[in-house]
Amino acid sequence: IHTVDIFTLERSALISRSADCRSPSIALILQGYMGNTPHTPSYAVSLRTLEHYRLLRLRKPSLSVEAFAKVICDSYGIPYVRTYRTVLSSTFDIYLTILHEVEKRIKAALQRDSPNWRVLNACPACTYMLEDEPPLKFNRMYVFDGGNSAKRMLTLAERQTGDLRCFGDSDYLLPRAFVDTFAGEVRPRSSIPHEDPTPGIDDHLPVSSDTSDSIAADCSKNWKAAASDEKKRMWSIFDETGIFVSACRHGFILWYADMVQSGELAKYPLAIIAKVLELLGERSLGAYDIGCGFSSTVMASSLGPLFKNMDCRLCVDAFHGFAHNYRCQTKHHPLGIDGAGLEDFGTIEHIFSASNALSPVIRYASAYNRHVFLDMFFKQWDDEKYANLAMMIYNNYCQALQIISKESVALTEAMASLGITEEDFTLWRQEEVEYFHTLGQEPPWDIHAMAYVELLLKYRELQSQCSAVSLRFISSAPANYQFQPPTQGSYTAELSQTRKLETQRRYASEKLDAIQLELVAMEVKMGITHRWEPSSPEYQATIKYMCTREYHRAMDNLQRLVIQRLFELQRLNVAQTAYKMRTQISKNLQTRCHAIQSAVKKYNDAASKLQPPRLPLEWAKVSHYQFLDEFMLLRETRQDIHDKPWAKPAIRETMRQHLRIQRAREEVVRCNVEIRRIHTAIIDEDRHFSRILKDFDDTGSPLLVAAHDFCQRRRLVNAQVLKHIFQVYDLQGFTG
C-alpha cells in the first residue's frame, strides 16, 4: 500500500493481514498506519505523522492540511500532489475521532464525565473551595464578549453539503436551541416610551423602563453590541458569523455560543448569564464591554429576579471602561468596585487574539470540522492556562505587593500634607458617586401647574395665529367689494389663493378649539374657577420656574459634559495610564467635544430667556478649560462642586491612589485563597490518580496505558505548577 510518513519518507509498505483480521484498518493500525478509507484503503498515513500534525495544529492553529501536505511533498522531494492533501484530511479526521473516543473513556475512568464537570472543576483557583478560607466578596469572576473572526461561509442554495455530521460532544458549546430560548426576552428600547432622552444621544440598548438608568445612555452609542437587535445584521454570505465566549478570570473557557447569521444579539450574553446562575452560584462578578447597560437588560429579562437574589452584578472591563463616560466609571469600572481586586477583565481580548489564527482554516470548513477545530483550540488554551496558573497568581501577587509598598508611602505623605483621614476617602467617594448619579435630575415641582401654564401659552399663541390667519382671509376681499358673477379667468386665478387662506383659517380654528377643550378639562380637574392671567401670582411663579428649569437643564447638561471631559483629560496625564487607554480616552473626548458645542448653544438660548438674561458662553473659552476652578459656570448650577474637596485635582489623584491600594490588598487576599486551593487540588489529584491507576492495574483494564500516559503528563505539568507555587510562598510579604 502507498504510505505517507514524514519521518521515514517511505513511499510504500507491505502489510500482512492475519486470517482472523476483520478489517484492513485493524491490520494497518497494528503496523502503525491509518488508512484513508475503512475497507479498501489506497493510502496509509503513519500514526506518528498524524500525531505530529496534531501537535503542530495545537501550537499553530493556522497550519492547514494543505500546508502540511506541501511540507510532506517537499520532504519527499516531489511537486505538490493534491492527493496527499485529500489523504491527509481523511486520515486526520478519523484520527481525531479515535482520540476523542479514547479521551471520553479516560474521563469516565477518572470519574470526570459527569455533566458540567469541566466548568465546575477545570480551574482549581476558582472552584476548589476549602474549609476555613477567608470569605471573598465575589465567589466567581468571569468575563464574556463576542468576536466575529470565527466566521463560516454559508453553503449556497445550489450546492449540496457533503459533510452532514454534527459535533455534539463538546462541553464548551452551548446548543443553539438553548440560546434561542432567550431570543426576544427583552423589548428593544425603541418600543419603550422615553420622555427625556439626553440631547444628542442615541440609546438603543434593550432595557425595561423600570430598571433603566441614564448611565447607559451616554455609553451605548459607542458600542456595536449595545445597538438594538434590529440593527445587528450580518452579511448573508455567512452562516456562523462569529462566537460569543465566556471565561473565568484565570482564562479558562467556560462556554461559547455560535452567533448565527446575526451580530451580537442580546440572547447570546443572556444564555451565558443563565449558565452562570445555574452552575457558578451566588455572588459572581461578570465583565462585559457594555456591562453598564447590559445590567438593565438582565434585570428586564426572566433572569432578573434570580440574578438579583443571588447577589450577582456586572461591570465593564478596565480597558474599555475608560471609553465610557466618567459617570459610568464611578459605578461600573473595576477600580471602584469593592472586591474586584486588580483584575482588569481583559481575558477575552487575549482569547480572540489567539483564536484569530484559526479563522482562515475554518472559514470554508464544514460545520462539523469548524466545531472540531474550535474544540481543539479551546482544549489547548485551557491546558496552557493550567500550566501557567500559578505563574499568573505569582505575577498578580508581585503587582499587588509593589503597589502596596510603593504607593502606601506616597499616600501617607499626601494624607498628612492635605490633612486627610481614611474616613474622608469613604465620605468623598460616596459624595462623588451620588453627585454623578443625580447630576442633571430636576427638583420636584407641581407638574400639573406646569402642564396648565404650557397649555395657556399654547392657547394664547394659537389665538394670535388664528386672529392673524382670519385677518389675512378677510383682507383678501377688496375694499370696495361688490358681488359680481365670476368670469372663467378671474375665478381660476383667485381660487387657489382663496382655498389656501380658508384652509389655514379652518386649521388654526380647529387647533384652537382642541386646546381650549383640553384647557377647560384641566381647569375643571384642578378646580380653577378663574383662568390664570399673566398677572396672576401662580402664573408668574410657574413661568419663572419653567424658564429657570430650561436654563438649569441646559446648564446641567453642559456641566456634565465638561466635568467628564476634565476628569478624563486628567486621566490622560496620569503616568500609569497606558498608551492604548490614552488613545481610547482621546477618541471618546473628540466625540464629546461635538456634544459640548451643541450644549453651549442650547445654554445660550436658555440663558437669553432669563430675567435678567445671563451672559452667553463662547465655545472657544469652554474648550480650553483644564481645571474645575477655571469653570466659573459651575458656581451657578443647582449642585455646585467647585468647593468640594473631591473635585480638586490633588485630592482626586490621592483618592485614586487610595482605591488602587484597596484593590491591591483585596488582590493579596484573593491570591492567598487561590494559591492554597491550587496546591490542595494538586495533592488531592495525585492521590486520586494513584488510586485509579492501581485499580486499573489490579483489574487488567485495557485503558491502563492510556490512563497512565494522561496521568503522567498531568503530573509533569503539576510539578511545574508547584514550582511556581513555592515561588509565591517565598515572596517577601507573602501572608497566605
Side-chain angles (χ1 to χ4, degrees):
I1 190 172
H2 297 291
T3 59
V4 178
D5 192 334
I6 198 173
F7 294 97
T8 64
L9 298 181
E10 293 181 355
R11 301 194 179 189
S12 63
L14 180 62
I15 307 297
S16 59
R17 181 178 176 183
S18 60
D20 58 345
C21 184
R22 294 177 296 173
S23 170
S25 297
I26 298 177
L28 288 171
I29 288 291
L30 292 175
Q31 297 297 322
Y33 290 95
M34 176 78 67
N36 62 328
T37 60
H39 299 294
T40 58
S42 57
Y43 277 85
V45 182
S46 68
L47 297 180
R48 289 199 303 168
T49 300
L50 294 173
E51 177 64 13
H52 189 61
Y53 177 56
R54 186 184 73 88
L55 296 176
L56 289 174
R57 279 293 301 270
L58 292 177
R59 298 296 181 179
K60 186 67 174 177
S62 61
L63 182 62
S64 63
V65 174
E66 184 177 35
F68 190 65
K70 291 180 178 179
V71 171
I72 291 176
C73 291
D74 292 340
S75 301
Y76 274 101
I78 60 175
Y80 170 63
V81 180
R82 187 176 177 83
T83 303
Y84 280 83
R85 180 231 174 256
T86 305
V87 169
L88 183 62
S89 177
S90 302
T91 52
F92 187 64
D93 193 5
I94 301 171
Y95 183 70
L96 290 180
T97 303
I98 294 175
L99 290 184
H100 185 70
E101 182 62 29
V102 172
E103 181 185 13
K104 286 174 59 178
R105 297 187 182 187
I106 292 176
K107 286 182 178 179
L110 295 176
Q111 301 172 3
R112 296 185 173 186
D113 60 338
S114 58
N116 303 307
W117 186 94
R118 180 189 57 79
V119 173
L120 298 175
N121 297 275
C123 179
C126 289
T127 61
Y128 211 77
M129 298 183 181
L130 306 176
E131 296 178 355
D132 301 326
E133 63 183 18
L136 300 176
K137 183 175 178 62
F138 298 108
N139 291 330
R140 297 290 293 269
M141 293 196 292
Y142 61 97
V143 60
F144 53 97
D145 199 2
N148 58 8
S149 63
K151 300 184 184 73
R152 188 180 70 87
M153 299 296 292
L154 180 65
T155 304
L156 299 179
E158 63 271 11
R159 298 182 59 183
Q160 298 296 322
T161 302
D163 192 352
L164 300 177
R165 294 173 295 173
C166 294
F167 187 71
D169 292 336
S170 175
D171 55 357
Y172 291 100
L173 178 64
L174 294 179
R176 291 188 183 183
F178 173 75
V179 175
D180 288 340
T181 58
F182 299 96
E185 273 270 330
V186 185
R187 293 182 298 164
R189 182 179 289 271
S190 57
S191 66
I192 300 172
H194 192 55
E195 297 180 358
D196 189 18
T198 304
I201 299 298
D202 291 329
D203 189 3
H204 301 290
L205 188 70
V207 298
S208 69
S209 57
D210 57 339
T211 59
S212 62
D213 53 39
S214 57
I215 289 178
D218 295 334
C219 303
S220 55
K221 71 170 185 177
N222 296 330
W223 310 102
K224 294 180 181 179
S228 60
D229 285 359
E230 291 82 357
K231 295 187 177 183
K232 296 174 183 176
R233 299 291 184 257
M234 182 55 67
W235 294 343
S236 58
I237 61 174
F238 297 111
D239 191 358
E240 293 89 1
T241 54
I243 53 177
F244 198 93
V245 184
S246 60
C248 74
R249 95 177 193 109
H250 306 96
F252 289 84
I253 305 296
L254 295 176
W255 306 276
Y256 82 94
D258 284 327
M259 295 193 295
V260 183
Q261 298 182 8
S262 68
E264 202 169 313
L265 301 180
K267 65 180 180 180
Y268 304 118
L270 285 176
I272 297 294
I273 295 296
K275 298 297 289 186
V276 167
L277 297 178
E278 176 188 354
L279 298 174
L280 301 192
E282 58 186 11
R283 301 203 319 275
S284 64
L285 174 63
Y288 189 21
D289 53 16
I290 56 167
C292 53
F294 188 69
S295 300
S296 300
T297 304
V298 174
M299 296 307 297
S301 70
S302 59
L303 304 174
L306 183 59
F307 188 83
K308 182 178 180 180
N309 293 336
M310 297 184 72
D311 199 16
C312 301
R313 70 167 296 178
L314 295 175
C315 66
V316 296
D317 59 282
F319 176 70
H320 291 104
F322 289 110
H324 291 239
N325 63 57
Y326 193 80
R327 182 181 183 182
C328 173
Q329 294 179 33
T330 58
K331 297 191 69 174
H332 297 96
H333 196 280
L335 183 62
I337 297 178
D338 293 339
L342 296 177
E343 180 59 40
D344 60 359
F345 297 100
T347 301
I348 291 295
E349 305 303 327
H350 299 292
I351 295 174
F352 287 141
S353 178
S355 65
N356 287 342
L358 187 62
S359 58
V361 178
I362 63 178
R363 183 64 48 82
Y364 294 92
S366 65
Y368 174 84
N369 282 329
R370 176 178 177 272
H371 287 148
V372 168
F373 294 148
L374 284 172
D375 196 70
M376 284 180 59
F377 172 81
F378 288 137
K379 286 179 180 178
Q380 179 63 24
W381 175 270
D382 282 351
D383 289 344
E384 292 178 1
K385 288 301 171 184
Y386 181 81
N388 296 319
L389 183 56
M391 176 56 70
M392 174 191 171
I393 304 297
Y394 175 82
N395 292 333
N396 286 11
Y397 215 122
C398 291
Q399 180 188 11
L401 292 177
Q402 185 178 13
I403 291 174
I404 294 173
S405 61
K406 290 186 176 181
E407 298 194 15
S408 293
V409 177
L411 179 64
T412 303
E413 294 176 354
M415 291 174 63
S417 62
L418 296 172
I420 302 174
T421 63
E422 287 285 341
E423 291 75 15
D424 292 333
F425 286 124
T426 304
L427 177 62
W428 293 342
R429 175 66 178 174
Q430 183 178 359
E431 286 183 0
E432 179 191 32
V433 172
E434 290 178 355
Y435 170 77
F436 279 100
H437 183 65
T438 59
L439 186 60
Q441 295 183 3
E442 302 171 2
W445 187 262
D446 189 347
I447 189 172
H448 297 93
M450 287 176 53
Y452 178 62
V453 172
E454 287 177 351
L455 276 177
L456 284 175
L457 291 173
K458 191 178 297 184
Y459 177 71
R460 291 190 173 93
E461 181 183 357
L462 285 174
Q463 270 187 324
S464 301
Q465 291 180 4
C466 189
S467 299
V469 171
S470 298
L471 183 61
R472 286 199 301 271
F473 179 75
I474 295 173
S475 300
S476 64
N480 53 350
Y481 173 79
Q482 292 182 359
F483 175 77
Q484 295 179 359
T487 61
Q488 184 66 26
S490 63
Y491 180 80
T492 304
E494 297 173 359
L495 177 62
S496 177
Q497 182 65 23
T498 305
R499 280 184 174 177
K500 287 181 180 178
L501 291 174
E502 171 60 19
T503 301
Q504 292 175 2
R505 187 186 69 82
R506 187 175 64 253
Y507 178 68
S509 178
E510 290 176 354
K511 286 182 63 177
L512 182 63
D513 292 341
I515 292 295
Q516 187 172 13
L517 182 63
E518 187 176 354
L519 193 60
V520 171
M522 181 164 283
E523 288 173 344
V524 172
K525 187 70 174 178
M526 297 173 63
I528 298 176
T529 56
H530 299 285
R531 181 164 295 176
W532 292 359
E533 299 294 334
S535 59
S536 303
E538 302 90 347
Y539 183 92
Q540 292 179 351
T542 306
I543 282 291
K544 182 179 179 180
Y545 169 77
M546 291 173 63
C547 292
T548 307
R549 171 178 177 264
E550 183 181 358
Y551 170 75
H552 279 167
R553 292 181 64 189
M555 173 80 73
D556 287 339
N557 185 43
L558 179 59
Q559 175 188 357
R560 174 180 57 85
L561 294 171
V562 172
I563 289 177
Q564 289 172 176
R565 176 179 179 271
L566 294 178
F567 286 171
E568 290 170 359
L569 279 173
Q570 183 184 6
R571 184 73 184 176
L572 282 174
N573 297 322
V574 177
Q576 294 182 351
T577 302
Y579 169 76
K580 288 186 177 181
M581 286 187 182
R582 290 200 297 267
T583 303
Q584 284 275 34
I585 297 173
S586 298
K587 291 181 179 179
N588 200 38
L589 286 174
Q590 291 175 5
T591 303
R592 186 158 293 131
C593 284
H594 296 295
I596 293 176
Q597 292 182 37
S598 300
V600 169
K601 183 179 179 181
K602 292 183 178 180
Y603 166 81
N604 289 334
D605 293 340
S608 64
K609 299 178 182 178
L610 294 179
Q611 294 297 331
R614 300 293 176 91
L615 294 176
L617 284 175
E618 297 179 1
W619 159 246
K621 184 178 180 181
V622 176
S623 62
H624 287 84
Y625 288 155
Q626 296 180 2
F627 299 99
L628 286 179
D629 53 5
E630 296 181 13
F631 195 33
M632 305 302 292
L633 177 65
L634 296 183
R635 295 179 179 176
E636 302 177 2
T637 59
R638 292 189 299 269
Q639 302 181 61
D640 182 16
I641 66 169
H642 181 264
D643 295 327
K644 294 287 186 181
W646 54 266
K648 301 184 183 301
I651 293 182
R652 290 199 58 76
E653 184 57 35
T654 306
M655 291 173 60
R656 187 178 292 108
Q657 200 172 41
H658 180 258
L659 285 177
R660 282 180 57 81
I661 294 174
Q662 279 188 321
R663 300 293 86 81
R665 289 170 177 164
E666 293 169 357
E667 186 69 26
V668 168
V669 173
R670 183 171 286 275
C671 287
N672 287 337
V673 171
E674 292 177 346
I675 204 70
R676 185 185 175 198
R677 290 177 179 177
I678 299 170
H679 197 169
T680 307
I682 290 176
I683 295 174
D684 292 346
E685 185 180 64
D686 188 74
R687 294 172 179 170
H688 178 66
F689 285 166
S690 298
R691 184 171 62 256
I692 293 295
L693 291 177
K694 184 178 183 302
D695 293 342
F696 281 0
D697 191 25
D698 294 342
T699 58
S701 173
L703 291 174
L704 175 61
V705 175
H708 182 272
D709 179 66
F710 174 85
C711 295
Q712 182 64 23
R713 285 186 284 109
R714 181 75 169 190
R715 281 168 167 167
L716 292 175
V717 174
N718 285 342
Q720 179 180 339
V721 175
L722 285 171
K723 177 182 176 182
H724 297 311
I725 289 177
F726 293 130
Q727 288 180 347
V728 175
Y729 293 160
D730 294 337
L731 282 173
Q732 186 176 2
F734 175 72
T735 56

